[in-house]
Amino acid sequence: MNQRLIGQLIGNRYRLTHHISEGGYGNVFEAVDTQLNDEPVAVKLLRPPPPDMEPEYYQQLQQRFLDEARVSALLGEHPNIVQVRSYGLYQNQPYLVMEYLNAQPYTGQGLDYVLAREGPLRPERVVNLALQICSALHHAHNFHMDLGKHSIRGVIHRDIKPSNIFVQKGPDGKERVKILDFGISKLMGETSRGLTQTGYFLGTMVYASPEQMRGEKLDARSDIYSLGVVLYELLTGALPFEPETDTLQGWYHVHNFQQPRPFQDHPLPHPIPEALERVVLRCLEKDPALRPATMEELAQQLRAVYGDQISTPTSSAPPQQVSLQRIPAGFGQQVTQQAAASEAEAEKLQRAVHLIEAGEYKMAIHLLNELIQNAPNEARYYLYRGLAHQRQGHWGLAQMDYQGVLRLEPGNPSAEQGLREVEQQVGQEQVSPHPKPTLPTSGKPRQSKGLALVWLLANWAAAGIGYLGLGVAAPLLAALGSLQGAVAGASLGLGMGLLQWAVLRRQVSWRWVAATLLATALGWVAADTLAPQVGVATFAFDPRDPWPQNALQAMASPLRGLLVGLGVGGLQGILLSRHGKVAWAWVLAAGVEGGGAALLIHWLLASSALSHWLLLLAGLLVHTRPLSALVLSNLNWRRIPAVQN
């Protein structure tokens, strides 16, 4: 099912390129934003209901999924919370579009993966990550927005755990946290939409607070408890509690009645300051009143452990290049000012307007967020923030801001015009509800043709090095006897794989080199083994022959060329299998290129009076892999990313 979605156009804008991961109720895909130069994004798509699921229950899942999109879109301007750019319905399946967390130059993994791979982390590193988590959750807990009939006063995450904490690493080597999945978050002051299916627990039992296990009303201190469990696990590599059974009843008992195991009960690779132990254990108090009251208070206690030695990075992805655009004449002037703004607020608004005109949208949004926090009913601030989102191409966020303006100022012409423009970009499924799955054929980056040219040159260089190496090393290879084919093939595969990987290093991993080496070596061995059985003479290096002749004859076996081509194409195709039809095109191209090149050289040797040097030149040209270059020039490949939950 997931592979059939590859190539689909979601929201008439986001083309799915491959499946990344599968969560509790949705699938995450890498996609490209076809309206923003194929910028990578992540698309989370709710799975269709299984046949035995009741329609009412699936409707609740849909609502919960859309709640996640709505809450995350509101909170996503914080640098430590994943940004949701848009959301909607695709063939009656809700989807949300998020920033792609592995977009170059950033890479990363979920904190659960980091912990499983590295074991207990150094306390300084844990505190650095914790401070960023505190910053994000403090923003969520204190977020407020007043939009007419709707009022939001804080958001509790309710599912803090390592897999919902993504750790990015930038070129500076510093780690940056992104909080994921507000899917079961609770808007303080609103009625919770919990799933009503018997026995279903909203959250993750291992990290749930005692009051969450009891089904009581929650506040920010519940997230503090869950974060305490995470910090304990990061420091020790183990959980603070050990239930008798891994059941709801077992975890209910330990969270409500069992004290955390002492840190000294675990083999600790790094000494943990006593002050840090006290902070973590205070987070794990059964009584919420005994925990830190807020995330800000917890952050202060964590900073006190190391003083000024810990710094918290707050930078996010580098700003994209944009063309400068003036704000339309009269924009925002129709809004009635709700309250007299102070001189400082007026100056900050003016700076935000200048930043929008200069294309510095992220900084403008940051200033407008501060203004909105101080004056949540001032429609002008939402209007300019909607314009900044619109010019970034974040239609869903712009739509929400313009709708907010119209709740506060019905009939505002600037908001109505902006809303009409962004609504043309979202909710277009009615126009094309069943797009045919296709591979990306439009919006290709300009460098695709350049990549194909470099690919031709790399293979030409690999062929030249291979011919020279085979000729010069002929005496040594001849002495190896039956091993000469395996050694020659492995050497050729290594050189070819390295040069090809140098060209495609942004699209493929180092496994490309290993696959090319292995396939070439096996192709040579298989050809030497099968040649006598099919009536073909077996080639052997002869040190008495001149080196060009040895090199040409070694490469002139059609059987060897075909087997090597199919083998190389097959193993390289496996690495590209997530691209669907691309893999088959690659295998076919490699097989035709390998067999065809060897057949042409064989024919030239047998029927041509050309000198060895001209034959070598012909050999170099036929080994440039032009069919593969054609595939490259028509496809937009991207590096297969690490798992993103």
Side-chain angles (χ1 to χ4, degrees):
M1 174 63 183
N2 295 331
Q3 290 302 319
R4 290 203 298 270
L5 290 171
I6 301 303
Q8 294 281 11
L9 196 64
I10 305 296
N12 241 27
R13 174 172 181 175
Y14 306 100
R15 192 179 298 282
L16 305 184
T17 55
H18 71 265
H19 181 251
I20 297 177
S21 65
E22 186 169 350
Y25 54 89
N27 287 282
V28 180
F29 296 84
E30 185 187 355
V32 293
D33 186 341
T34 60
Q35 296 183 18
L36 280 180
N37 298 319
D38 279 1
E39 177 185 345
V41 294
V43 175
K44 190 172 184 178
L45 189 66
L46 183 66
R47 289 195 300 269
D52 58 346
M53 180 177 286
E54 296 181 0
E56 295 80 6
Y57 182 64
Y58 186 69
Q59 289 175 3
Q60 289 179 335
L61 277 179
Q62 286 182 312
Q63 186 59 58
R64 193 173 109 194
F65 193 91
L66 292 175
D67 282 347
E68 174 186 353
R70 178 169 64 101
V71 173
S72 298
L74 292 171
L75 299 177
E77 294 301 335
H78 191 280
N80 297 122
I81 297 177
V82 66
Q83 186 185 68
V84 170
R85 299 183 176 180
S86 183
Y87 57 91
L89 292 176
Y90 170 74
Q91 297 182 6
N92 203 36
Q93 292 176 244
Y95 70 86
L96 59 89
V97 181
M98 304 174 287
E99 61 176 312
Y100 181 53
L101 296 179
N102 269 314
Q104 293 296 326
Y106 291 89
T107 58
Q109 293 285 358
L111 197 50
D112 55 334
Y113 180 87
V114 174
L115 185 61
R117 183 183 60 187
E118 302 182 23
L121 308 183
R122 297 188 65 84
E124 301 91 332
R125 185 181 178 191
V126 172
V127 171
N128 177 62
L129 297 174
L131 288 174
Q132 298 180 63
I133 298 169
C134 288
S135 176
L137 292 177
H138 178 72
H139 172 74
H141 294 165
N142 292 276
F143 181 85
H144 63 272
M145 179 176 287
D146 218 337
L147 298 176
K149 299 179 181 179
H150 301 280
S151 177
I152 298 174
R153 291 289 184 271
V155 180
I156 310 170
H157 191 285
R158 299 207 300 176
D159 198 19
I160 294 298
K161 57 185 178 181
S163 61
N164 279 339
I165 302 169
F166 194 91
V167 181
Q168 283 183 316
K169 185 171 289 187
D172 56 3
K174 294 182 179 179
E175 291 183 313
R176 296 163 176 81
V177 161
K178 289 282 188 177
I179 304 296
L180 311 175
D181 197 359
F182 279 83
I184 62 168
S185 59
K186 171 112 175 351
L187 304 182
M188 299 181 195
E190 290 190 356
T191 303
S192 174
R193 288 194 189 91
L195 296 182
T196 57
Q197 184 166 330
T198 303
Y200 193 91
F201 175 76
L202 285 180
T204 304
M205 298 182 296
V206 178
Y207 302 92
S209 66
E211 58 270 30
Q212 187 175 3
M213 298 296 294
R214 296 192 297 265
E216 298 175 359
K217 184 177 180 179
L218 306 181
D219 58 24
R221 294 170 297 182
S222 178
D223 281 347
I224 289 175
Y225 181 93
S226 300
L227 180 55
V229 179
V230 172
L231 297 181
Y232 186 103
E233 187 177 12
L234 294 178
L235 291 167
T236 66
L239 293 167
F241 309 109
E242 189 173 359
E244 292 184 1
T245 58
D246 186 17
T247 61
L248 183 62
Q249 292 76 15
W251 286 105
Y252 180 94
H253 176 79
V254 297
H255 283 304
N256 280 278
F257 303 108
Q258 189 181 98
Q259 291 303 312
R261 290 182 286 175
F263 282 78
Q264 291 72 25
D265 286 0
H266 309 284
L268 300 175
H270 313 293
I272 302 174
E274 291 184 7
L276 181 55
E277 291 186 13
R278 288 195 296 269
V279 173
V280 174
L281 292 177
R282 189 180 172 202
C283 294
L284 295 174
E285 289 285 355
K286 308 300 182 187
D287 184 356
L290 299 178
R291 302 173 202 153
T294 65
M295 284 291 172
E296 188 173 29
E297 181 182 333
L298 174 57
Q300 292 173 353
Q301 295 176 7
L302 289 168
R303 287 193 192 95
V305 175
Y306 287 105
D308 297 330
Q309 301 177 32
I310 299 294
S311 62
T312 306
T314 57
S315 61
S316 56
Q320 61 188 63
Q321 297 297 320
V322 294
S323 57
L324 303 185
Q325 303 178 60
R326 299 288 297 177
I327 291 178
F331 185 89
Q333 293 180 4
Q334 299 84 358
V335 180
T336 302
Q337 189 171 355
Q338 299 291 322
S342 68
E343 185 176 344
E345 290 173 337
E347 182 181 350
K348 186 176 288 188
L349 177 61
Q350 192 62 37
R351 279 173 32 218
V353 171
H354 288 320
L355 287 168
I356 293 174
E357 290 185 333
E360 298 289 341
Y361 303 128
K362 285 186 177 293
M363 183 60 69
I365 290 170
H366 177 73
L367 292 176
L368 291 165
N369 286 341
E370 294 179 356
L371 290 168
I372 289 170
Q373 188 170 4
N374 294 328
N377 292 322
E378 181 56 71
R380 289 183 305 164
Y381 302 156
Y382 295 100
L383 184 65
Y384 283 111
R385 192 174 70 174
L387 178 64
H389 283 311
Q390 181 180 356
R391 291 197 174 170
Q392 278 184 301
H394 300 168
W395 317 122
L397 298 177
Q399 184 181 36
M400 293 177 63
D401 278 331
Y402 289 142
Q403 289 172 343
V405 173
L406 292 173
R407 291 191 189 100
L408 294 168
E409 293 284 342
N412 177 270
S414 297
E416 288 179 341
Q417 174 64 26
L419 188 60
R420 283 194 296 271
E421 292 173 358
V422 298
E423 282 182 343
Q424 293 175 4
Q425 308 296 333
V426 295
Q428 300 293 326
E429 310 306 339
Q430 296 84 356
V431 177
S432 179
H434 302 290
K436 296 180 180 179
T438 58
L439 290 168
T441 56
S442 62
K444 296 188 299 254
R446 295 180 180 179
Q447 64 267 28
S448 60
K449 293 184 178 179
L451 184 68
L453 178 60
V454 178
W455 169 263
L456 291 171
L457 294 174
N459 283 288
W460 179 82
I465 294 171
Y467 275 117
L468 181 61
L470 289 177
V472 173
L476 175 61
L477 293 170
L480 294 176
S482 60
L483 294 176
Q484 60 181 259
V487 174
S491 302
L492 288 172
L494 177 62
M496 181 168 59
L498 283 171
L499 285 171
Q500 291 176 357
W501 177 80
V503 176
L504 301 177
R505 64 187 181 278
R506 295 183 181 275
Q507 289 79 24
V508 298
S509 70
W510 60 268
R511 293 181 179 85
W512 186 274
V513 181
T516 308
L517 184 155
L518 180 62
T520 310
L522 291 177
W524 274 66
V525 171
D528 291 343
T529 303
L530 294 176
Q533 301 178 20
V534 296
V536 178
T538 303
F539 169 77
F541 289 96
D542 189 344
R544 296 171 297 181
D545 291 336
W547 76 264
Q549 184 174 343
N550 265 313
L552 285 167
Q553 289 181 345
M555 303 294 285
S557 168
L559 177 61
R560 181 183 292 122
L562 178 62
L563 293 177
V564 169
L566 291 175
V568 168
L571 290 186
Q572 291 177 350
I574 291 174
L575 299 179
L576 303 173
S577 58
R578 293 186 180 183
H579 295 275
K581 295 179 181 178
V582 176
W584 291 110
W586 194 260
V587 174
L588 180 61
V592 172
E593 288 165 338
L599 186 62
L600 180 60
I601 296 172
H602 178 78
W603 177 78
L604 288 173
L605 278 174
S607 60
S608 176
L610 296 176
S611 69
H612 285 153
W613 300 109
L614 289 176
L615 290 174
L616 279 173
L617 179 60
L620 293 177
L621 293 175
V622 298
H623 280 102
T624 53
R625 297 194 62 180
L627 294 180
S628 301
L630 184 63
V631 177
L632 273 176
S633 66
N634 284 278
L635 293 171
N636 178 20
W637 292 353
R638 298 186 182 273
R639 178 185 292 276
I640 295 172
V643 173
Q644 178 177 2
N645 291 320

